[in-house]
Amino acid sequence: MKVKSKFKKQSTLLCGAVLAGVLLFGIGNTASAETPVTVEINGKVQTFSQPALIKGGSTLVPLRAIFEALGAEIEWDGKLQRVVAQKGAQLIELTINKSTASINGETITLAVNAEIINGNTMVPLRFVAEALGADVSFNNDTRKVSITSVKTISTLEQKVNEIYSSIIDASMTDFQKVYAFNKYLANNVIYDYNNYMNDTIPKESFTPEGALLKGFAVCQGYTEAMKLFLDKAKIENRIITGEVPSDKKSWEMHTWNLVKLDGEYYHVDSTWNDRDLKRKDTVYPAPYGDVDLDYFLVSDNFIYATHRFQKDKYPKSGTKFDKLFGDPLATGFYFPVYESKNNIIVQRANSNSTVSLVTIDKDGKEVSGALAKEQINGFLNEIVIDNHLFYTVDQRTGEHTIDLYRVTLDGKDKTLVAKDMNGQPKIIGGNVYYYSTWYDPARKLPSKTSIHRVSLSTGEDKVLLEDVRMLSVSNNYIYYEASKNMQVEIHRVTLEGTSDTVIAKNIDFGNYLFSDNYLFYVEALDYSKGFDQNSRIHDLQLDSLKDTLLFEDKQVTFMGFKDGVLTYRAGTQTKTVKVGS
C-alpha cells in the first residue's frame, strides 16, 4: 500500500464520547514499571506478540495490531523511523521518540513518546482515540483496555437519514412510505436533461449522491436513491435495467425500481414520475409540486406499454394498484391534489380524455367511488377549505367558460359553486372572486361582462362590477381592465368593490402583463406621428403604485416575468431586461 504523506492541513474532530479524563490513563504508583494490560477490541480479547503495558504511568499499546484491527492501513518507513497510517479520510503520521504526531495535518502532543519495544511500535492509548475516533476505556482493577470502533457515517448516509426522518414517521404504512419517497425525489431532484442531450452527463448524475446531495440526476441516480430509501424502510425491492424510447434514439437503457408490498411486486419509475422530465410549460402545476403518479406501483402489463425489459429475469408483478392510478392509454397526468394523515385524493386520467378524483387510504385502497368523469380544468389557489376540495370544470361549449365545484373529501358530496366563469377564479378568505361573460345566444357574441364574489359559507353570488374584465386578485385588491374614450385603463378596487382607482391609462390594447408585484404595460402610440415609433414600456409596482419608464423598443409584446427578469419580444427578436435592480 502506498499512503501519501503530503496533505492539506485541516481541523480534526474527536469522538465526543472520549473525555480528557479517560484518555490519560495515568495509573499512579499502584503499578510496577511495566505492567501487562489486556486489550479488548469491539468486545473480543486480543492476543499480541507484544502485549499492551503500563509504563511510567501511561498505557502503551501496539500501534500496528490495533490500527489494523480497526481497519486502518499501515506503512512503516524504517529509515525515518516513521509510521504513516490511513483509515478513510484520516491520515496519521507518527515518528519514534518524537513528542508530537499529526492527524490530517493537525499537530497533537503525545502523553509520552512513541517507542519500539521488542520490534513493535508502542503508542499511548490516548493517541488511538484521537487518531481513529474510537471509544476507549480502562478498567484499573482488571487492567483491561476496551476499544470500540465508532462507525463513520458518510455524507450520503447522513443525508438519507436526515431526509428519512423528515418525511417518514412510525405510524406510516409501507404504501405511504413508498408514496413519500416517490414524492420527495420528484420534488427535490432535477433531471439532468441538458447534459443528457449534449452527451456530457457527469458521473455524479448517475449516482444517489448526485440525486440527494447535488439535486441533479439521470435515471440511475433516481433509482439508486429510491433504493436507499426502500432499504432503510426495510421494504424488499430490486432494481430493473431495461429500455425506454428516448429523445435521441428509438430505445435506450433505463433503470427503475421493483417494490414489494403485501407480498407482491410493483413497478415504481421515480424518474418518469418527475414532471421535470416532461418539460411541458403548459401543464397546470400540481398542488404537491412536481410529482406524478403515472408510473407508481404499476403492473408489468401497464409499464410494458412504454418500457421493455426481460420479464423472466424479475419477479412477476401484481395488478391491484392499476385501477387506482389510471389507464396506460390515457392522456394526462395522475397526481395528488390533497393529502392527509390517512388518505390522499388523486386526479386520475381516463382513456376518454376525462379525469376522475379518487380517494385512496393509507393502505392504497380506494375508499370512495370515483367522482363523475369530468374534464377538470384546474384547482384553486387554496384547494382544501373546510374539508372541501375546490376545482373547475371546462364546459367545452366553445365560449371558454368554466364552472366551479366543491366536493367533500370523501368524494361523495359535490356542489356547484359558480357558473360561466372566465379565467381561473381565486379564493381569498371565505370568498371566491371570478370574472364572467354572458353570451348572446342568437349572435354568439359577448354581451355582458361582470366581476363576482361568491361566499363559500352561504353561496351568495354578488356582482361587484359590470362591463369590465377582471385581470388579477392580489394584495387585497381586484385589478380590472376598462375602456374610456377609446383608451384602455387598468383600475383597482377593494375586495368589496369600492375605492375605485385608475393605476395606469393610455395603454396599448391588451398589451400588459401582471406578474408578482408588478404590472408591465406598453403605452398606446399616437399614430398621427407615424408608424415607425418606439414603444414606451412601463413597470408599475402594485404595492406603492410607483410607475417607472423601463425602456423603449419597437413592436413590444410581453412573454413572461420570472426571478426579476422580464422577457419580451421586439419584432422577431426575444430580449430580456432586469427589473428592480
Side-chain angles (χ1 to χ4, degrees):
M1 181 203 73
K2 195 72 174 177
V3 180
K4 295 182 179 179
S5 60
K6 298 295 183 182
F7 46 84
K8 183 178 179 180
K9 183 174 181 179
Q10 60 185 43
S11 62
T12 302
L13 297 177
L14 303 183
C15 175
V18 181
L19 303 177
V22 179
L23 294 172
L24 292 176
F25 299 103
I27 309 301
N29 296 322
T30 60
S32 60
E34 293 187 5
T35 305
V37 174
T38 301
V39 176
E40 182 181 85
I41 298 178
N42 294 328
K44 184 177 180 179
V45 175
Q46 305 294 305
T47 301
F48 304 127
S49 59
Q50 170 56 52
L53 52 85
I54 297 171
K55 183 177 181 182
S58 293
T59 303
L60 299 178
V61 295
L63 181 143
R64 177 181 289 275
I66 291 178
F67 272 39
E68 289 181 343
L70 293 173
E73 297 178 272
I74 306 293
E75 183 177 349
W76 166 249
D77 187 329
K79 184 176 181 180
L80 297 178
Q81 295 281 283
R82 183 178 66 185
V83 174
V84 179
Q86 188 162 20
K87 181 182 180 183
Q90 289 286 84
L91 185 64
I92 302 115
E93 290 188 317
L94 175 143
T95 302
I96 301 301
N97 293 323
K98 189 175 180 181
S99 61
T100 61
S102 71
I103 302 172
N104 288 339
E106 185 90 1
T107 299
I108 64 168
T109 300
L110 302 175
V112 295
N113 294 355
E115 60 179 288
I116 296 177
I117 298 177
N118 297 327
N120 292 272
T121 299
M122 305 293 286
V123 296
L125 183 57
R126 173 177 181 171
F127 179 68
V128 174
E130 291 181 329
L132 299 180
D135 283 339
V136 181
S137 62
F138 179 80
N139 188 314
N140 191 34
D141 294 332
T142 61
R143 295 290 192 273
K144 183 172 76 173
V145 170
S146 295
I147 302 173
T148 304
S149 57
V150 177
K151 181 182 178 182
T152 301
I153 299 178
S154 69
T155 303
L156 176 61
E157 189 174 356
Q158 288 177 355
K159 186 65 175 178
V160 169
N161 291 341
E162 173 192 321
I163 295 167
Y164 191 91
S165 62
S166 70
I167 64 176
I168 301 298
D169 66 62
S171 69
M172 295 173 72
T173 64
D174 283 351
F175 172 85
Q176 289 176 307
K177 291 175 183 177
V178 178
Y179 173 84
F181 300 151
N182 180 71
K183 185 174 77 168
Y184 179 87
L185 292 173
N187 286 340
N188 293 276
V189 182
I190 297 173
Y191 188 82
D192 199 355
Y193 183 70
N194 289 336
N195 280 321
Y196 161 74
M197 291 301 295
N198 295 323
D199 293 322
T200 56
I201 303 174
K203 289 182 179 179
E204 63 186 9
S205 288
F206 291 96
T207 68
E209 287 86 353
L212 301 180
L213 300 180
K214 301 295 184 180
F216 283 88
V218 291
C219 64
Q220 188 173 341
Y222 281 82
T223 303
E224 293 190 9
M226 173 64 88
K227 179 171 177 56
L228 290 176
F229 290 146
L230 294 167
D231 287 346
K232 185 167 181 62
K234 296 181 171 56
I235 297 173
E236 190 173 332
N237 67 94
R238 294 182 63 174
I239 289 178
I240 289 187
T241 301
E243 293 182 315
V244 293
S246 77
D247 292 338
K248 296 193 297 181
K249 53 187 178 182
S250 57
W251 291 88
E252 69 178 5
M253 191 180 77
H254 184 66
T255 63
W256 63 96
N257 301 89
L258 198 60
V259 180
K260 191 173 186 179
L261 289 180
D262 299 327
E264 291 187 300
Y265 284 92
Y266 302 93
H267 298 265
V268 176
D269 189 339
S270 53
T271 311
W272 279 38
N273 284 337
D274 189 346
R275 291 160 73 92
D276 289 338
L277 186 62
K278 297 176 175 64
R279 302 176 304 284
K280 293 183 179 179
D281 295 334
T282 57
V283 173
Y284 193 84
Y288 288 89
D290 287 337
V291 62
D292 273 345
L293 300 171
D294 300 38
Y295 296 91
F296 180 69
L297 299 177
V298 297
S299 66
D300 291 342
N301 289 340
F302 186 110
I303 205 164
Y304 216 71
T306 52
H307 297 49
R308 65 187 187 190
F309 59 100
Q310 289 183 260
K311 290 184 179 180
D312 58 351
K313 290 181 60 177
Y314 303 98
K316 184 179 179 180
S317 77
T319 61
K320 71 177 181 180
F321 295 111
D322 283 358
K323 65 179 181 179
L324 292 181
F325 300 114
D327 184 330
L329 301 178
T331 57
F333 302 103
Y334 324 132
F335 55 78
V337 296
Y338 171 75
E339 296 177 0
S340 70
K341 186 175 179 64
N342 293 316
N343 61 53
I344 58 174
I345 296 179
V346 172
Q347 174 179 310
R348 182 180 72 186
N350 304 303
S351 56
N352 62 352
S353 298
T354 64
V355 299
S356 300
L357 295 179
V358 183
T359 303
I360 301 169
D361 72 7
K362 62 183 180 180
D363 295 313
K365 298 176 182 176
E366 185 175 338
V367 295
S368 67
L371 294 172
K373 294 180 178 181
E374 298 172 316
Q375 187 63 42
I376 290 179
N377 187 59
F379 297 88
L380 300 193
N381 54 302
E382 298 178 41
I383 297 168
V384 176
I385 298 176
D386 295 332
N387 292 316
H388 284 81
L389 177 73
F390 288 82
Y391 64 95
T392 55
V393 175
D394 192 338
Q395 292 183 358
R396 295 194 171 264
T397 59
E399 277 120 15
H400 309 293
T401 58
I402 57 178
D403 294 339
L404 174 64
Y405 289 88
R406 70 178 181 182
V407 63
T408 53
L409 296 181
D410 60 9
K412 295 179 180 179
D413 180 17
K414 185 180 73 172
T415 304
L416 176 66
V417 177
K419 283 180 63 66
D420 301 325
M421 299 184 299
N422 298 92
Q424 195 67 17
K426 186 162 186 179
I427 294 179
I428 297 180
N431 298 297
V432 178
Y433 295 84
Y434 72 94
Y435 163 63
S436 177
T437 300
W438 178 79
Y439 284 81
D440 184 333
R443 301 178 61 196
K444 297 289 185 181
L445 293 174
S447 298
K448 186 177 180 180
T449 60
S450 52
I451 296 175
H452 296 241
R453 182 186 67 197
V454 179
S455 170
L456 295 179
S457 58
T458 67
E460 179 191 9
D461 191 328
K462 181 179 180 180
V463 177
L464 298 179
L465 296 164
E466 291 186 319
D467 297 323
V468 296
R469 186 163 72 93
M470 188 172 80
L471 304 176
S472 176
V473 182
S474 62
N475 302 317
N476 292 317
Y477 290 100
I478 301 170
Y479 298 88
Y480 71 89
E481 175 194 291
S483 297
K484 184 177 181 180
N485 300 326
M486 302 300 293
Q487 290 185 356
V488 174
E489 297 179 342
I490 293 179
H491 297 234
R492 78 175 187 186
V493 295
T494 67
L495 298 180
E496 299 293 327
T498 61
S499 302
D500 196 319
T501 303
V502 179
I503 64 172
K505 57 186 178 180
N506 192 30
I507 300 174
D508 187 30
F509 186 77
N511 207 349
Y512 49 79
L513 172 69
F514 274 92
S515 187
D516 296 338
N517 192 42
Y518 288 95
L519 164 64
F520 302 98
Y521 69 92
V522 178
E523 281 187 32
L525 294 175
D526 181 359
Y527 289 106
S528 66
K529 297 180 181 180
F531 291 93
D532 190 23
Q533 302 177 55
N534 278 343
S535 298
R536 292 164 57 87
I537 290 77
H538 293 247
D539 77 78
L540 175 68
Q541 296 182 35
L542 297 179
D543 53 359
S544 65
L545 295 185
K546 180 182 178 182
D547 193 323
T548 304
L549 178 64
L550 191 58
F551 62 89
E552 295 186 18
D553 210 331
K554 291 184 178 180
Q555 300 178 356
V556 171
T557 53
F558 299 114
M559 299 178 66
F561 178 70
K562 183 178 180 180
D563 298 330
V565 176
L566 175 67
T567 304
Y568 66 97
R569 186 175 293 277
T572 60
Q573 291 184 303
T574 299
K575 299 182 179 181
T576 59
V577 61
K578 186 74 174 175
V579 178
S581 59

